[in-house]
PDB file of all heavy atoms in Angstrom:
ATOM      1  N   GLY A 294      -8.114 -14.521 -11.144  1.00 97.00           N
ATOM      2  CA  GLY A 294      -7.744 -15.909 -10.917  1.00 97.00           C
ATOM      3  C   GLY A 294      -6.743 -16.106  -9.805  1.00 97.00           C
ATOM      4  O   GLY A 294      -6.206 -17.217  -9.635  1.00 97.00           O
ATOM      5  N   ARG A 295      -6.470 -15.071  -9.026  1.00 98.00           N
ATOM      6  CA  ARG A 295      -5.482 -15.158  -7.960  1.00 98.00           C
ATOM      7  C   ARG A 295      -6.170 -15.010  -6.600  1.00 98.00           C
ATOM      8  O   ARG A 295      -7.291 -14.504  -6.515  1.00 98.00           O
ATOM      9  CB  ARG A 295      -4.404 -14.083  -8.130  1.00 98.00           C
ATOM     10  CG  ARG A 295      -3.552 -14.305  -9.375  1.00 98.00           C
ATOM     11  CD  ARG A 295      -2.679 -13.105  -9.681  1.00 98.00           C
ATOM     12  NE  ARG A 295      -1.766 -13.431 -10.770  1.00 98.00           N
ATOM     13  CZ  ARG A 295      -0.530 -13.886 -10.616  1.00 98.00           C
ATOM     14  NH1 ARG A 295      -0.030 -14.041  -9.398  1.00 98.00           N
ATOM     15  NH2 ARG A 295       0.220 -14.171 -11.660  1.00 98.00           N
ATOM     16  N   VAL A 296      -5.473 -15.401  -5.556  1.00 98.00           N
ATOM     17  CA  VAL A 296      -6.005 -15.316  -4.190  1.00 98.00           C
ATOM     18  C   VAL A 296      -5.351 -14.136  -3.486  1.00 98.00           C
ATOM     19  O   VAL A 296      -4.115 -14.038  -3.425  1.00 98.00           O
ATOM     20  CB  VAL A 296      -5.735 -16.620  -3.416  1.00 98.00           C
ATOM     21  CG1 VAL A 296      -6.194 -16.472  -1.966  1.00 98.00           C
ATOM     22  CG2 VAL A 296      -6.442 -17.788  -4.089  1.00 98.00           C
ATOM     23  N   LEU A 297      -6.176 -13.245  -2.948  1.00 98.00           N
ATOM     24  CA  LEU A 297      -5.662 -12.088  -2.208  1.00 98.00           C
ATOM     25  C   LEU A 297      -5.210 -12.531  -0.823  1.00 98.00           C
ATOM     26  O   LEU A 297      -5.990 -13.110  -0.052  1.00 98.00           O
ATOM     27  CB  LEU A 297      -6.758 -11.026  -2.093  1.00 98.00           C
ATOM     28  CG  LEU A 297      -6.369  -9.694  -1.437  1.00 98.00           C
ATOM     29  CD1 LEU A 297      -5.269  -8.993  -2.231  1.00 98.00           C
ATOM     30  CD2 LEU A 297      -7.593  -8.786  -1.302  1.00 98.00           C
ATOM     31  N   LYS A 298      -3.948 -12.283  -0.510  1.00 98.00           N
ATOM     32  CA  LYS A 298      -3.373 -12.722   0.756  1.00 98.00           C
ATOM     33  C   LYS A 298      -3.110 -11.522   1.666  1.00 98.00           C
ATOM     34  O   LYS A 298      -2.745 -10.438   1.200  1.00 98.00           O
ATOM     35  CB  LYS A 298      -2.060 -13.467   0.493  1.00 98.00           C
ATOM     36  CG  LYS A 298      -2.254 -14.765  -0.279  1.00 98.00           C
ATOM     37  CD  LYS A 298      -0.933 -15.451  -0.569  1.00 98.00           C
ATOM     38  CE  LYS A 298      -0.150 -14.725  -1.657  1.00 98.00           C
ATOM     39  NZ  LYS A 298       1.052 -15.489  -2.079  1.00 98.00           N
ATOM     40  N   ALA A 299      -3.305 -11.726   2.966  1.00 98.00           N
ATOM     41  CA  ALA A 299      -3.062 -10.660   3.942  1.00 98.00           C
ATOM     42  C   ALA A 299      -1.570 -10.324   3.990  1.00 98.00           C
ATOM     43  O   ALA A 299      -0.713 -11.196   3.829  1.00 98.00           O
ATOM     44  CB  ALA A 299      -3.551 -11.084   5.319  1.00 98.00           C
ATOM     45  N   VAL A 300      -1.266  -9.055   4.200  1.00 98.00           N
ATOM     46  CA  VAL A 300       0.133  -8.606   4.302  1.00 98.00           C
ATOM     47  C   VAL A 300       0.311  -7.762   5.552  1.00 98.00           C
ATOM     48  O   VAL A 300      -0.629  -7.129   6.034  1.00 98.00           O
ATOM     49  CB  VAL A 300       0.562  -7.793   3.057  1.00 98.00           C
ATOM     50  CG1 VAL A 300       0.570  -8.657   1.816  1.00 98.00           C
ATOM     51  CG2 VAL A 300      -0.330  -6.580   2.856  1.00 98.00           C
ATOM     52  N   ASP A 301       1.514  -7.792   6.081  1.00 98.00           N
ATOM     53  CA  ASP A 301       1.865  -6.922   7.206  1.00 98.00           C
ATOM     54  C   ASP A 301       2.362  -5.587   6.663  1.00 98.00           C
ATOM     55  O   ASP A 301       3.101  -5.540   5.675  1.00 98.00           O
ATOM     56  CB  ASP A 301       2.954  -7.559   8.066  1.00 98.00           C
ATOM     57  CG  ASP A 301       2.475  -8.837   8.752  1.00 98.00           C
ATOM     58  OD1 ASP A 301       1.257  -8.987   8.944  1.00 98.00           O
ATOM     59  OD2 ASP A 301       3.339  -9.678   9.099  1.00 98.00           O
ATOM     60  N   ILE A 302       1.968  -4.516   7.328  1.00 98.00           N
ATOM     61  CA  ILE A 302       2.331  -3.165   6.899  1.00 98.00           C
ATOM     62  C   ILE A 302       2.870  -2.387   8.089  1.00 98.00           C
ATOM     63  O   ILE A 302       2.315  -2.448   9.196  1.00 98.00           O
ATOM     64  CB  ILE A 302       1.099  -2.405   6.342  1.00 98.00           C
ATOM     65  CG1 ILE A 302       0.526  -3.093   5.107  1.00 98.00           C
ATOM     66  CG2 ILE A 302       1.436  -0.944   6.051  1.00 98.00           C
ATOM     67  CD1 ILE A 302       1.390  -3.012   3.880  1.00 98.00           C
ATOM     68  N   ARG A 303       3.925  -1.632   7.853  1.00 98.00           N
ATOM     69  CA  ARG A 303       4.409  -0.664   8.840  1.00 98.00           C
ATOM     70  C   ARG A 303       4.661   0.637   8.097  1.00 98.00           C
ATOM     71  O   ARG A 303       5.470   0.678   7.161  1.00 98.00           O
ATOM     72  CB  ARG A 303       5.696  -1.142   9.514  1.00 98.00           C
ATOM     73  CG  ARG A 303       6.259  -0.123  10.522  1.00 98.00           C
ATOM     74  CD  ARG A 303       7.594  -0.570  11.092  1.00 98.00           C
ATOM     75  NE  ARG A 303       8.176   0.471  11.933  1.00 98.00           N
ATOM     76  CZ  ARG A 303       7.926   0.595  13.238  1.00 98.00           C
ATOM     77  NH1 ARG A 303       7.115  -0.266  13.831  1.00 98.00           N
ATOM     78  NH2 ARG A 303       8.480   1.562  13.933  1.00 98.00           N
ATOM     79  N   THR A 304       3.964   1.688   8.469  1.00 97.00           N
ATOM     80  CA  THR A 304       4.150   2.966   7.792  1.00 97.00           C
ATOM     81  C   THR A 304       5.393   3.674   8.339  1.00 97.00           C
ATOM     82  O   THR A 304       5.674   3.634   9.531  1.00 97.00           O
ATOM     83  CB  THR A 304       2.928   3.880   7.978  1.00 97.00           C
ATOM     84  OG1 THR A 304       2.801   4.253   9.357  1.00 97.00           O
ATOM     85  CG2 THR A 304       1.648   3.192   7.529  1.00 97.00           C
ATOM     86  N   ASP A 305       6.104   4.313   7.443  1.00 96.00           N
ATOM     87  CA  ASP A 305       7.298   5.085   7.815  1.00 96.00           C
ATOM     88  C   ASP A 305       7.530   6.113   6.722  1.00 96.00           C
ATOM     89  O   ASP A 305       6.954   6.016   5.624  1.00 96.00           O
ATOM     90  CB  ASP A 305       8.525   4.175   7.952  1.00 96.00           C
ATOM     91  CG  ASP A 305       8.669   3.600   9.356  1.00 96.00           C
ATOM     92  OD1 ASP A 305       8.622   4.397  10.320  1.00 96.00           O
ATOM     93  OD2 ASP A 305       8.819   2.375   9.495  1.00 96.00           O
ATOM     94  N   PRO A 306       8.375   7.111   6.984  1.00 96.00           N
ATOM     95  CA  PRO A 306       8.663   8.105   5.940  1.00 96.00           C
ATOM     96  C   PRO A 306       9.247   7.467   4.690  1.00 96.00           C
ATOM     97  O   PRO A 306       9.865   6.392   4.737  1.00 96.00           O
ATOM     98  CB  PRO A 306       9.676   9.043   6.615  1.00 96.00           C
ATOM     99  CG  PRO A 306       9.381   8.917   8.079  1.00 96.00           C
ATOM    100  CD  PRO A 306       9.003   7.470   8.275  1.00 96.00           C
ATOM    101  N   TYR A 307       9.065   8.126   3.557  1.00 97.00           N
ATOM    102  CA  TYR A 307       9.588   7.681   2.267  1.00 97.00           C
ATOM    103  C   TYR A 307      11.088   7.444   2.367  1.00 97.00           C
ATOM    104  O   TYR A 307      11.789   8.227   3.015  1.00 97.00           O
ATOM    105  CB  TYR A 307       9.302   8.765   1.216  1.00 97.00           C
ATOM    106  CG  TYR A 307       9.588   8.335  -0.198  1.00 97.00           C
ATOM    107  CD1 TYR A 307       8.643   7.641  -0.932  1.00 97.00           C
ATOM    108  CD2 TYR A 307      10.806   8.621  -0.786  1.00 97.00           C
ATOM    109  CE1 TYR A 307       8.907   7.233  -2.241  1.00 97.00           C
ATOM    110  CE2 TYR A 307      11.083   8.223  -2.087  1.00 97.00           C
ATOM    111  CZ  TYR A 307      10.124   7.539  -2.803  1.00 97.00           C
ATOM    112  OH  TYR A 307      10.387   7.135  -4.091  1.00 97.00           O
ATOM    113  N   PRO A 308      11.588   6.342   1.786  1.00 97.00           N
ATOM    114  CA  PRO A 308      10.960   5.487   0.775  1.00 97.00           C
ATOM    115  C   PRO A 308      10.223   4.273   1.333  1.00 97.00           C
ATOM    116  O   PRO A 308       9.918   3.350   0.567  1.00 97.00           O
ATOM    117  CB  PRO A 308      12.154   5.059  -0.071  1.00 97.00           C
ATOM    118  CG  PRO A 308      13.280   4.970   0.913  1.00 97.00           C
ATOM    119  CD  PRO A 308      13.044   6.086   1.887  1.00 97.00           C
ATOM    120  N   ALA A 309       9.922   4.244   2.629  1.00 97.00           N
ATOM    121  CA  ALA A 309       9.175   3.137   3.206  1.00 97.00           C
ATOM    122  C   ALA A 309       7.695   3.250   2.837  1.00 97.00           C
ATOM    123  O   ALA A 309       7.294   4.136   2.072  1.00 97.00           O
ATOM    124  CB  ALA A 309       9.366   3.126   4.721  1.00 97.00           C
ATOM    125  N   PHE A 310       6.876   2.379   3.392  1.00 98.00           N
ATOM    126  CA  PHE A 310       5.462   2.328   3.029  1.00 98.00           C
ATOM    127  C   PHE A 310       4.752   3.595   3.512  1.00 98.00           C
ATOM    128  O   PHE A 310       4.857   3.963   4.681  1.00 98.00           O
ATOM    129  CB  PHE A 310       4.801   1.093   3.649  1.00 98.00           C
ATOM    130  CG  PHE A 310       3.433   0.812   3.099  1.00 98.00           C
ATOM    131  CD1 PHE A 310       3.269  -0.032   2.015  1.00 98.00           C
ATOM    132  CD2 PHE A 310       2.306   1.411   3.646  1.00 98.00           C
ATOM    133  CE1 PHE A 310       2.014  -0.293   1.484  1.00 98.00           C
ATOM    134  CE2 PHE A 310       1.046   1.166   3.129  1.00 98.00           C
ATOM    135  CZ  PHE A 310       0.895   0.311   2.039  1.00 98.00           C
ATOM    136  N   PRO A 311       4.001   4.263   2.639  1.00 97.00           N
ATOM    137  CA  PRO A 311       3.405   5.568   3.000  1.00 97.00           C
ATOM    138  C   PRO A 311       2.170   5.441   3.884  1.00 97.00           C
ATOM    139  O   PRO A 311       1.313   4.574   3.664  1.00 97.00           O
ATOM    140  CB  PRO A 311       3.035   6.167   1.635  1.00 97.00           C
ATOM    141  CG  PRO A 311       2.823   4.977   0.740  1.00 97.00           C
ATOM    142  CD  PRO A 311       3.778   3.926   1.221  1.00 97.00           C
ATOM    143  N   THR A 312       2.073   6.322   4.851  1.00 95.00           N
ATOM    144  CA  THR A 312       0.883   6.360   5.705  1.00 95.00           C
ATOM    145  C   THR A 312      -0.385   6.604   4.903  1.00 95.00           C
ATOM    146  O   THR A 312      -1.456   6.136   5.271  1.00 95.00           O
ATOM    147  CB  THR A 312       1.040   7.443   6.789  1.00 95.00           C
ATOM    148  OG1 THR A 312      -0.133   7.457   7.622  1.00 95.00           O
ATOM    149  CG2 THR A 312       1.228   8.826   6.192  1.00 95.00           C
ATOM    150  N   ASP A 313      -0.270   7.299   3.770  1.00 95.00           N
ATOM    151  CA  ASP A 313      -1.451   7.608   2.960  1.00 95.00           C
ATOM    152  C   ASP A 313      -1.999   6.389   2.223  1.00 95.00           C
ATOM    153  O   ASP A 313      -3.051   6.486   1.581  1.00 95.00           O
ATOM    154  CB  ASP A 313      -1.133   8.721   1.955  1.00 95.00           C
ATOM    155  CG  ASP A 313      -1.178  10.097   2.593  1.00 95.00           C
ATOM    156  OD1 ASP A 313      -1.583  10.198   3.760  1.00 95.00           O
ATOM    157  OD2 ASP A 313      -0.810  11.079   1.915  1.00 95.00           O
ATOM    158  N   MET A 314      -1.316   5.231   2.283  1.00 97.00           N
ATOM    159  CA  MET A 314      -1.840   3.994   1.695  1.00 97.00           C
ATOM    160  C   MET A 314      -2.228   2.969   2.754  1.00 97.00           C
ATOM    161  O   MET A 314      -2.668   1.863   2.430  1.00 97.00           O
ATOM    162  CB  MET A 314      -0.810   3.375   0.741  1.00 97.00           C
ATOM    163  CG  MET A 314      -0.707   4.039  -0.622  1.00 97.00           C
ATOM    164  SD  MET A 314      -2.235   3.973  -1.607  1.00 97.00           S
ATOM    165  CE  MET A 314      -2.518   2.203  -1.757  1.00 97.00           C
TER     166      MET A 314
END
Side-chain angles (χ1 to χ4, degrees):
R295 294 169 173 266
V296 175
L297 184 61
K298 295 178 287 188
V300 294
D301 295 336
I302 298 290
R303 178 185 174 88
T304 66
D305 272 309
Y307 189 85
F310 192 92
T312 180
D313 280 353
M314 282 298 301

